[in-house]
Amino acid sequence: MTSQTLSSHLRPESKDLRDLESESLHIIRELVAEFDRPGLLFSGGKDSAVLLHLAVKAMRPAYLPFPVVHIDTGHNFPEVLAFRDRVVERLGVELVVGSVDEAIAAGRIPAPFGANGSRNRLQTPVLLETIQNGKFTAVFGGARRDEERARAKERVYSLRNEFGQWDPQNQRPEVWSLYNGRINIGQHMRVFPISNWTELDVWRYIAEEDIELPEIYYAHQREVFERDGMLMALSRVMQPAAGETVVTRSVRFRTVGDMTSTAAVASEAGTPEEVIAETLTTHISERGATRADDRTADAAMEDRKREGYF
């Protein structure tokens, strides 16, 4: 790709990107006006980093009037947790943490089966518990429609019933960008301000706005082993099985999550511009390529969302 071609994807005056930003700012301001207790769900990944950046813009010059909510599986990448703590301290915002470790220790949820058992599915009951304990009437996060088929079905405002469940056949119309935030006692709303963005849009915005990300999003040397066609990072919770060989590769992560289910991709991209160049030639979504828990069945994500997953 020539520098001229790449620059056309990064130009600051890019109208389509600023239109997306304007739409997201409008959604964030709407939900802050409509709900008495919103919270920003923050994984520490690129999408939630962009969303937090947008939230700061939307509320400027005031401080953020809602907390950052993180569901900690106990198997997060250390770099992501360090990034989360840096950002929260810099912004001076309240951090609410729902801990899967604490829920397992207290006997509220069972531990995953197996030495390398994923805790991603265990995030759902902890998220619902955190929403209930925090009395959140709305939580908003960085999910996008292009990530996965189930997410493509969901509206910007997604009603959850008193059990935190999603019914894809019971969604409200959103004509002319008008959002219905009415909820009954016990219900809450999930809101997706960057729903219409793509992975490429996110990276272009990161480049233009110079948004900080965890370093694992850029190419670095890491010990990995191949499992089911994916490069899994060697860690205290992810060990190779018999016949799986650990090698050191130059890799980066397209998404972050539980270390037991989030794979790396071989890459030499060390800057947002280089990641954009790679993304332009990729035909598989980041979840489809690097999330083992989304490969278990064609409807895996939809099933989890029905249960209350974000």
Side-chain angles (χ1 to χ4, degrees), residues 160-206:
R160 300 303 171 104
N161 66 20
E162 59 271 25
F163 303 106
Q165 297 171 332
W166 173 59
D167 181 358
Q169 295 182 335
N170 183 25
Q171 299 191 81
R172 297 169 177 177
E174 294 178 342
V175 183
W176 302 307
S177 298
L178 297 175
Y179 306 108
N180 183 352
R182 184 172 182 177
I183 58 174
N184 295 322
I185 295 174
Q187 297 177 337
H188 71 275
M189 196 71 72
R190 306 283 175 90
V191 182
F192 308 99
I194 63 170
S195 185
N196 291 328
W197 297 47
T198 65
E199 183 182 10
L200 182 59
D201 293 327
V202 168
W203 276 106
R204 290 168 59 207
Y205 194 70
I206 288 166

Tab-separated table of all heavy atoms in Angstrom, residues 160-206:
chain	number	residue	atom	x	y	z
A	160	ARG	N	-33.087	-5.007	28.374
A	160	ARG	CA	-32.899	-6.266	29.089
A	160	ARG	C	-33.982	-6.393	30.153
A	160	ARG	O	-34.284	-5.410	30.858
A	160	ARG	CB	-31.510	-6.313	29.732
A	160	ARG	CG	-30.370	-6.188	28.716
A	160	ARG	CD	-30.441	-7.273	27.641
A	160	ARG	NE	-29.515	-7.053	26.561
A	160	ARG	CZ	-28.375	-7.733	26.412
A	160	ARG	NH1	-28.026	-8.631	27.304
A	160	ARG	NH2	-27.597	-7.494	25.383
A	161	ASN	N	-34.560	-7.583	30.272
A	161	ASN	CA	-35.662	-7.769	31.207
A	161	ASN	C	-35.162	-7.836	32.646
A	161	ASN	O	-33.976	-7.629	32.920
A	161	ASN	CB	-36.482	-9.010	30.835
A	161	ASN	CG	-35.692	-10.312	30.984
A	161	ASN	OD1	-34.681	-10.383	31.679
A	161	ASN	ND2	-36.166	-11.354	30.326
A	162	GLU	N	-36.061	-8.147	33.570
A	162	GLU	CA	-35.692	-8.150	34.988
A	162	GLU	C	-34.678	-9.226	35.341
A	162	GLU	O	-34.094	-9.206	36.425
A	162	GLU	CB	-36.944	-8.306	35.852
A	162	GLU	CG	-37.739	-9.567	35.600
A	162	GLU	CD	-38.800	-9.395	34.509
A	162	GLU	OE1	-38.619	-8.509	33.640
A	162	GLU	OE2	-39.789	-10.154	34.540
A	163	PHE	N	-34.447	-10.173	34.416
A	163	PHE	CA	-33.422	-11.204	34.620
A	163	PHE	C	-32.144	-10.892	33.852
A	163	PHE	O	-31.223	-11.703	33.800
A	163	PHE	CB	-33.964	-12.575	34.198
A	163	PHE	CG	-35.220	-12.983	34.916
A	163	PHE	CD1	-36.442	-12.961	34.264
A	163	PHE	CD2	-35.179	-13.354	36.260
A	163	PHE	CE1	-37.611	-13.322	34.928
A	163	PHE	CE2	-36.340	-13.718	36.927
A	163	PHE	CZ	-37.556	-13.702	36.267
A	164	GLY	N	-32.099	-9.717	33.220
A	164	GLY	CA	-30.924	-9.311	32.458
A	164	GLY	C	-30.838	-9.947	31.092
A	164	GLY	O	-29.807	-9.855	30.424
A	165	GLN	N	-31.920	-10.562	30.621
A	165	GLN	CA	-31.894	-11.314	29.376
A	165	GLN	C	-32.328	-10.461	28.193
A	165	GLN	O	-33.083	-9.502	28.338
A	165	GLN	CB	-32.791	-12.544	29.492
A	165	GLN	CG	-32.328	-13.529	30.556
A	165	GLN	CD	-33.338	-14.629	30.811
A	165	GLN	OE1	-34.544	-14.450	30.630
A	165	GLN	NE2	-32.857	-15.782	31.237
A	166	TRP	N	-31.835	-10.841	27.023
A	166	TRP	CA	-32.136	-10.153	25.764
A	166	TRP	C	-33.059	-11.013	24.912
A	166	TRP	O	-32.819	-12.204	24.735
A	166	TRP	CB	-30.832	-9.874	25.022
A	166	TRP	CG	-30.987	-9.310	23.639
A	166	TRP	CD1	-31.613	-8.151	23.293
A	166	TRP	CD2	-30.487	-9.879	22.414
A	166	TRP	NE1	-31.532	-7.941	21.925
A	166	TRP	CE2	-30.849	-8.993	21.360
A	166	TRP	CE3	-29.774	-11.031	22.093
A	166	TRP	CZ2	-30.520	-9.237	20.029
A	166	TRP	CZ3	-29.443	-11.281	20.768
A	166	TRP	CH2	-29.814	-10.386	19.748
A	167	ASP	N	-34.103	-10.405	24.380
A	167	ASP	CA	-35.005	-11.090	23.465
A	167	ASP	C	-34.868	-10.436	22.096
A	167	ASP	O	-35.352	-9.316	21.883
A	167	ASP	CB	-36.454	-10.980	23.965
A	167	ASP	CG	-37.436	-11.702	23.050
A	167	ASP	OD1	-37.000	-12.256	22.019
A	167	ASP	OD2	-38.642	-11.705	23.365
A	168	PRO	N	-34.207	-11.105	21.133
A	168	PRO	CA	-33.988	-10.486	19.820
A	168	PRO	C	-35.278	-10.187	19.060
A	168	PRO	O	-35.281	-9.383	18.130
A	168	PRO	CB	-33.130	-11.515	19.075
A	168	PRO	CG	-33.362	-12.802	19.785
A	168	PRO	CD	-33.623	-12.451	21.208
A	169	GLN	N	-36.407	-10.826	19.458
A	169	GLN	CA	-37.687	-10.576	18.792
A	169	GLN	C	-38.489	-9.470	19.470
A	169	GLN	O	-39.599	-9.162	19.033
A	169	GLN	CB	-38.496	-11.876	18.753
A	169	GLN	CG	-37.846	-12.964	17.909
A	169	GLN	CD	-38.678	-14.228	17.849
A	169	GLN	OE1	-39.479	-14.507	18.740
A	169	GLN	NE2	-38.492	-14.994	16.792
A	170	ASN	N	-37.945	-8.921	20.532
A	170	ASN	CA	-38.645	-7.847	21.255
A	170	ASN	C	-37.733	-6.626	21.344
A	170	ASN	O	-37.224	-6.279	22.397
A	170	ASN	CB	-39.049	-8.324	22.650
A	170	ASN	CG	-39.839	-7.267	23.415
A	170	ASN	OD1	-40.473	-6.398	22.828
A	170	ASN	ND2	-39.765	-7.332	24.741
A	171	GLN	N	-37.509	-6.001	20.182
A	171	GLN	CA	-36.662	-4.824	20.123
A	171	GLN	C	-37.468	-3.627	19.633
A	171	GLN	O	-38.415	-3.768	18.863
A	171	GLN	CB	-35.459	-5.073	19.199
A	171	GLN	CG	-34.578	-6.220	19.666
A	171	GLN	CD	-33.273	-6.260	18.902
A	171	GLN	OE1	-32.326	-5.526	19.196
A	171	GLN	NE2	-33.204	-7.124	17.905
A	172	ARG	N	-37.050	-2.462	20.074
A	172	ARG	CA	-37.799	-1.250	19.768
A	172	ARG	C	-37.301	-0.603	18.484
A	172	ARG	O	-36.103	-0.607	18.201
A	172	ARG	CB	-37.669	-0.271	20.936
A	172	ARG	CG	-38.268	-0.826	22.218
A	172	ARG	CD	-37.925	0.000	23.424
A	172	ARG	NE	-38.571	-0.517	24.623
A	172	ARG	CZ	-38.417	-0.026	25.844
A	172	ARG	NH1	-37.624	1.035	26.026
A	172	ARG	NH2	-39.040	-0.552	26.865
A	173	PRO	N	-38.210	-0.003	17.705
A	173	PRO	CA	-37.778	0.694	16.488
A	173	PRO	C	-36.931	1.916	16.839
A	173	PRO	O	-37.128	2.540	17.883
A	173	PRO	CB	-39.096	1.100	15.825
A	173	PRO	CG	-40.092	1.127	16.935
A	173	PRO	CD	-39.667	0.059	17.898
A	174	GLU	N	-35.973	2.220	15.965
A	174	GLU	CA	-35.104	3.386	16.166
A	174	GLU	C	-35.100	4.231	14.894
A	174	GLU	O	-34.091	4.368	14.200
A	174	GLU	CB	-33.695	2.935	16.551
A	174	GLU	CG	-33.659	2.248	17.906
A	174	GLU	CD	-32.296	1.742	18.323
A	174	GLU	OE1	-31.413	1.594	17.447
A	174	GLU	OE2	-32.091	1.482	19.521
A	175	VAL	N	-36.267	4.784	14.597
A	175	VAL	CA	-36.436	5.586	13.387
A	175	VAL	C	-35.893	6.990	13.609
A	175	VAL	O	-36.114	7.592	14.661
A	175	VAL	CB	-37.940	5.635	13.005
A	175	VAL	CG1	-38.132	6.397	11.700
A	175	VAL	CG2	-38.504	4.222	12.899
A	176	TRP	N	-35.161	7.514	12.629
A	176	TRP	CA	-34.605	8.872	12.672
A	176	TRP	C	-33.740	9.091	13.920
A	176	TRP	O	-33.743	10.173	14.515
A	176	TRP	CB	-35.719	9.924	12.603
A	176	TRP	CG	-36.565	9.815	11.379
A	176	TRP	CD1	-36.140	9.777	10.085
A	176	TRP	CD2	-37.996	9.718	11.337
A	176	TRP	NE1	-37.200	9.656	9.234
A	176	TRP	CE2	-38.355	9.637	9.966
A	176	TRP	CE3	-38.998	9.702	12.311
A	176	TRP	CZ2	-39.673	9.525	9.544
A	176	TRP	CZ3	-40.322	9.594	11.901
A	176	TRP	CH2	-40.642	9.506	10.531
A	177	SER	N	-33.035	8.045	14.333
A	177	SER	CA	-32.117	8.143	15.481
A	177	SER	C	-32.823	8.566	16.763
A	177	SER	O	-32.251	9.266	17.605
A	177	SER	CB	-30.967	9.110	15.177
A	177	SER	OG	-30.210	8.644	14.083
A	178	LEU	N	-34.067	8.154	16.899
A	178	LEU	CA	-34.821	8.395	18.124
A	178	LEU	C	-34.792	7.119	18.950
A	178	LEU	O	-35.156	6.050	18.458
A	178	LEU	CB	-36.262	8.804	17.811
A	178	LEU	CG	-36.426	10.121	17.048
A	178	LEU	CD1	-37.894	10.346	16.687
A	178	LEU	CD2	-35.892	11.286	17.870
A	179	TYR	N	-34.384	7.234	20.219
A	179	TYR	CA	-34.170	6.067	21.057
A	179	TYR	C	-35.150	6.069	22.232
A	179	TYR	O	-35.312	7.078	22.919
A	179	TYR	CB	-32.729	6.045	21.566
A	179	TYR	CG	-31.715	6.149	20.456
A	179	TYR	CD1	-30.973	7.327	20.263
A	179	TYR	CD2	-31.516	5.102	19.566
A	179	TYR	CE1	-30.062	7.432	19.231
A	179	TYR	CE2	-30.604	5.201	18.522
A	179	TYR	CZ	-29.881	6.365	18.355
A	179	TYR	OH	-28.984	6.472	17.327
A	180	ASN	N	-35.780	4.922	22.441
A	180	ASN	CA	-36.759	4.764	23.504
A	180	ASN	C	-36.066	4.165	24.729
A	180	ASN	O	-35.763	2.973	24.768
A	180	ASN	CB	-37.901	3.856	23.027
A	180	ASN	CG	-38.997	3.699	24.059
A	180	ASN	OD1	-38.868	4.133	25.203
A	180	ASN	ND2	-40.094	3.069	23.655
A	181	GLY	N	-35.832	4.978	25.742
A	181	GLY	CA	-35.130	4.526	26.932
A	181	GLY	C	-36.042	4.174	28.088
A	181	GLY	O	-35.560	4.006	29.214
A	182	ARG	N	-37.313	3.999	27.833
A	182	ARG	CA	-38.240	3.710	28.921
A	182	ARG	C	-38.033	2.287	29.442
A	182	ARG	O	-37.982	1.327	28.663
A	182	ARG	CB	-39.674	3.868	28.443
A	182	ARG	CG	-40.715	3.685	29.541
A	182	ARG	CD	-42.103	4.030	29.066
A	182	ARG	NE	-43.092	3.890	30.130
A	182	ARG	CZ	-44.370	4.192	29.998
A	182	ARG	NH1	-44.817	4.663	28.834
A	182	ARG	NH2	-45.209	4.037	31.005
A	183	ILE	N	-37.910	2.149	30.755
A	183	ILE	CA	-37.744	0.837	31.374
A	183	ILE	C	-38.666	0.725	32.581
A	183	ILE	O	-39.042	1.730	33.181
A	183	ILE	CB	-36.286	0.581	31.818
A	183	ILE	CG1	-35.817	1.655	32.806
A	183	ILE	CG2	-35.361	0.496	30.616
A	183	ILE	CD1	-34.434	1.394	33.392
A	184	ASN	N	-39.017	-0.499	32.911
A	184	ASN	CA	-39.797	-0.778	34.107
A	184	ASN	C	-38.868	-1.169	35.241
A	184	ASN	O	-37.671	-1.431	35.039
A	184	ASN	CB	-40.802	-1.903	33.833
A	184	ASN	CG	-41.849	-1.511	32.804
A	184	ASN	OD1	-42.309	-0.366	32.787
A	184	ASN	ND2	-42.222	-2.446	31.956
A	185	ILE	N	-39.396	-1.235	36.454
A	185	ILE	CA	-38.593	-1.603	37.621
A	185	ILE	C	-37.968	-2.977	37.406
A	185	ILE	O	-38.655	-3.927	37.007
A	185	ILE	CB	-39.459	-1.596	38.902
A	185	ILE	CG1	-39.933	-0.172	39.206
A	185	ILE	CG2	-38.680	-2.160	40.084
A	185	ILE	CD1	-40.899	-0.093	40.365
A	186	GLY	N	-36.670	-3.068	37.642
A	186	GLY	CA	-35.949	-4.320	37.481
A	186	GLY	C	-35.291	-4.481	36.127
A	186	GLY	O	-34.363	-5.283	35.971
A	187	GLN	N	-35.770	-3.734	35.133
A	187	GLN	CA	-35.164	-3.798	33.808
A	187	GLN	C	-33.978	-2.840	33.722
A	187	GLN	O	-33.821	-1.947	34.550
A	187	GLN	CB	-36.189	-3.423	32.741
A	187	GLN	CG	-37.371	-4.367	32.644
A	187	GLN	CD	-38.384	-3.901	31.608
A	187	GLN	OE1	-38.467	-2.719	31.251
A	187	GLN	NE2	-39.179	-4.842	31.103
A	188	HIS	N	-33.142	-3.030	32.708
A	188	HIS	CA	-32.100	-2.046	32.421
A	188	HIS	C	-31.840	-2.042	30.916
A	188	HIS	O	-32.311	-2.914	30.182
A	188	HIS	CB	-30.810	-2.325	33.204
A	188	HIS	CG	-30.051	-3.531	32.750
A	188	HIS	ND1	-30.330	-4.808	33.181
A	188	HIS	CD2	-29.003	-3.660	31.899
A	188	HIS	CE1	-29.500	-5.675	32.640
A	188	HIS	NE2	-28.686	-5.009	31.841
A	189	MET	N	-31.096	-1.058	30.482
A	189	MET	CA	-30.810	-0.895	29.069
A	189	MET	C	-29.329	-1.107	28.797
A	189	MET	O	-28.476	-0.647	29.556
A	189	MET	CB	-31.225	0.509	28.605
A	189	MET	CG	-31.331	0.654	27.095
A	189	MET	SD	-32.752	-0.214	26.388
A	189	MET	CE	-34.118	0.819	26.948
A	190	ARG	N	-29.034	-1.840	27.731
A	190	ARG	CA	-27.671	-1.907	27.204
A	190	ARG	C	-27.611	-0.951	26.014
A	190	ARG	O	-28.503	-0.982	25.154
A	190	ARG	CB	-27.319	-3.323	26.751
A	190	ARG	CG	-27.513	-4.413	27.807
A	190	ARG	CD	-26.412	-4.432	28.839
A	190	ARG	NE	-26.707	-5.404	29.885
A	190	ARG	CZ	-26.335	-6.688	29.843
A	190	ARG	NH1	-25.663	-7.137	28.800
A	190	ARG	NH2	-26.622	-7.497	30.841
A	191	VAL	N	-26.587	-0.143	25.945
A	191	VAL	CA	-26.494	0.872	24.894
A	191	VAL	C	-25.154	0.729	24.178
A	191	VAL	O	-24.112	0.525	24.817
A	191	VAL	CB	-26.649	2.293	25.487
A	191	VAL	CG1	-26.606	3.342	24.375
A	191	VAL	CG2	-27.960	2.406	26.268
A	192	PHE	N	-25.182	0.853	22.849
A	192	PHE	CA	-23.997	0.629	22.025
A	192	PHE	C	-23.712	1.849	21.147
A	192	PHE	O	-24.120	1.893	19.980
A	192	PHE	CB	-24.194	-0.618	21.166
A	192	PHE	CG	-24.622	-1.828	21.954
A	192	PHE	CD1	-25.955	-2.207	21.996
A	192	PHE	CD2	-23.702	-2.565	22.672
A	192	PHE	CE1	-26.358	-3.308	22.725
A	192	PHE	CE2	-24.085	-3.672	23.403
A	192	PHE	CZ	-25.412	-4.050	23.437
A	193	PRO	N	-23.004	2.859	21.674
A	193	PRO	CA	-22.799	4.102	20.919
A	193	PRO	C	-21.947	3.963	19.662
A	193	PRO	O	-22.038	4.809	18.773
A	193	PRO	CB	-22.114	5.016	21.944
A	193	PRO	CG	-22.545	4.481	23.269
A	193	PRO	CD	-22.590	3.004	23.075
A	194	ILE	N	-21.096	2.927	19.572
A	194	ILE	CA	-20.281	2.764	18.355
A	194	ILE	C	-20.741	1.542	17.565
A	194	ILE	O	-19.963	0.927	16.837
A	194	ILE	CB	-18.767	2.692	18.667
A	194	ILE	CG1	-18.414	1.470	19.521
A	194	ILE	CG2	-18.293	3.973	19.342
A	194	ILE	CD1	-16.891	1.246	19.623
A	195	SER	N	-22.014	1.226	17.696
A	195	SER	CA	-22.565	0.059	17.015
A	195	SER	C	-22.330	0.094	15.511
A	195	SER	O	-22.086	-0.935	14.881
A	195	SER	CB	-24.067	-0.049	17.299
A	195	SER	OG	-24.611	-1.223	16.763
A	196	ASN	N	-22.382	1.278	14.910
A	196	ASN	CA	-22.269	1.400	13.449
A	196	ASN	C	-20.833	1.541	12.957
A	196	ASN	O	-20.610	1.688	11.756
A	196	ASN	CB	-23.098	2.594	12.971
A	196	ASN	CG	-24.582	2.352	13.125
A	196	ASN	OD1	-25.062	1.228	13.019
A	196	ASN	ND2	-25.337	3.413	13.412
A	197	TRP	N	-19.871	1.511	13.857
A	197	TRP	CA	-18.468	1.593	13.468
A	197	TRP	C	-17.975	0.215	13.009
A	197	TRP	O	-18.522	-0.815	13.380
A	197	TRP	CB	-17.598	2.064	14.631
A	197	TRP	CG	-17.878	3.440	15.144
A	197	TRP	CD1	-19.085	3.992	15.436
A	197	TRP	CD2	-16.902	4.436	15.473
A	197	TRP	NE1	-18.929	5.280	15.925
A	197	TRP	CE2	-17.600	5.575	15.962
A	197	TRP	CE3	-15.507	4.484	15.427
A	197	TRP	CZ2	-16.952	6.732	16.380
A	197	TRP	CZ3	-14.852	5.636	15.844
A	197	TRP	CH2	-15.571	6.746	16.305
A	198	THR	N	-16.906	0.222	12.228
A	198	THR	CA	-16.228	-1.017	11.854
A	198	THR	C	-14.860	-1.057	12.546
A	198	THR	O	-14.412	-0.057	13.125
A	198	THR	CB	-16.008	-1.104	10.337
A	198	THR	OG1	-15.095	-0.055	9.936
A	198	THR	CG2	-17.319	-0.948	9.578
A	199	GLU	N	-14.214	-2.201	12.465
A	199	GLU	CA	-12.871	-2.315	13.037
A	199	GLU	C	-11.932	-1.289	12.405
A	199	GLU	O	-11.123	-0.661	13.092
A	199	GLU	CB	-12.323	-3.726	12.828
A	199	GLU	CG	-10.955	-3.954	13.470
A	199	GLU	CD	-10.403	-5.335	13.206
A	199	GLU	OE1	-10.959	-6.074	12.377
A	199	GLU	OE2	-9.366	-5.675	13.831
A	200	LEU	N	-12.073	-1.085	11.099
A	200	LEU	CA	-11.237	-0.104	10.415
A	200	LEU	C	-11.542	1.311	10.897
A	200	LEU	O	-10.620	2.115	11.116
A	200	LEU	CB	-11.448	-0.200	8.904
A	200	LEU	CG	-10.590	0.736	8.041
A	200	LEU	CD1	-9.104	0.494	8.274
A	200	LEU	CD2	-10.941	0.549	6.562
A	201	ASP	N	-12.814	1.634	11.092
A	201	ASP	CA	-13.185	2.943	11.623
A	201	ASP	C	-12.529	3.181	12.985
A	201	ASP	O	-12.024	4.273	13.262
A	201	ASP	CB	-14.704	3.060	11.794
A	201	ASP	CG	-15.453	3.053	10.482
A	201	ASP	OD1	-14.915	3.558	9.480
A	201	ASP	OD2	-16.593	2.532	10.464
A	202	VAL	N	-12.569	2.175	13.840
A	202	VAL	CA	-11.997	2.290	15.183
A	202	VAL	C	-10.505	2.597	15.095
A	202	VAL	O	-10.002	3.502	15.780
A	202	VAL	CB	-12.244	0.998	15.989
A	202	VAL	CG1	-11.410	0.988	17.264
A	202	VAL	CG2	-13.723	0.865	16.336
A	203	TRP	N	-9.801	1.878	14.230
A	203	TRP	CA	-8.358	2.106	14.126
A	203	TRP	C	-8.033	3.456	13.484
A	203	TRP	O	-7.063	4.119	13.868
A	203	TRP	CB	-7.690	0.964	13.355
A	203	TRP	CG	-7.387	-0.201	14.242
A	203	TRP	CD1	-8.021	-1.399	14.299
A	203	TRP	CD2	-6.371	-0.240	15.251
A	203	TRP	NE1	-7.464	-2.187	15.275
A	203	TRP	CE2	-6.449	-1.509	15.865
A	203	TRP	CE3	-5.392	0.662	15.687
A	203	TRP	CZ2	-5.592	-1.892	16.901
A	203	TRP	CZ3	-4.549	0.289	16.708
A	203	TRP	CH2	-4.648	-0.975	17.306
A	204	ARG	N	-8.828	3.876	12.531
A	204	ARG	CA	-8.619	5.204	11.942
A	204	ARG	C	-8.805	6.288	12.998
A	204	ARG	O	-8.051	7.258	13.051
A	204	ARG	CB	-9.589	5.429	10.784
A	204	ARG	CG	-9.304	4.595	9.537
A	204	ARG	CD	-10.454	4.656	8.550
A	204	ARG	NE	-10.717	6.025	8.124
A	204	ARG	CZ	-11.910	6.453	7.714
A	204	ARG	NH1	-12.958	5.646	7.716
A	204	ARG	NH2	-12.058	7.702	7.330
A	205	TYR	N	-9.812	6.106	13.857
A	205	TYR	CA	-10.076	7.085	14.912
A	205	TYR	C	-8.953	7.075	15.947
A	205	TYR	O	-8.535	8.133	16.434
A	205	TYR	CB	-11.423	6.771	15.568
A	205	TYR	CG	-11.961	7.894	16.425
A	205	TYR	CD1	-12.418	9.078	15.858
A	205	TYR	CD2	-12.035	7.765	17.810
A	205	TYR	CE1	-12.926	10.105	16.632
A	205	TYR	CE2	-12.544	8.790	18.600
A	205	TYR	CZ	-12.987	9.952	18.005
A	205	TYR	OH	-13.474	10.971	18.779
A	206	ILE	N	-8.461	5.908	16.279
A	206	ILE	CA	-7.338	5.801	17.216
A	206	ILE	C	-6.134	6.557	16.665
A	206	ILE	O	-5.450	7.284	17.401
A	206	ILE	CB	-6.984	4.320	17.468
A	206	ILE	CG1	-8.073	3.653	18.321
A	206	ILE	CG2	-5.618	4.178	18.140
A	206	ILE	CD1	-7.993	2.144	18.354
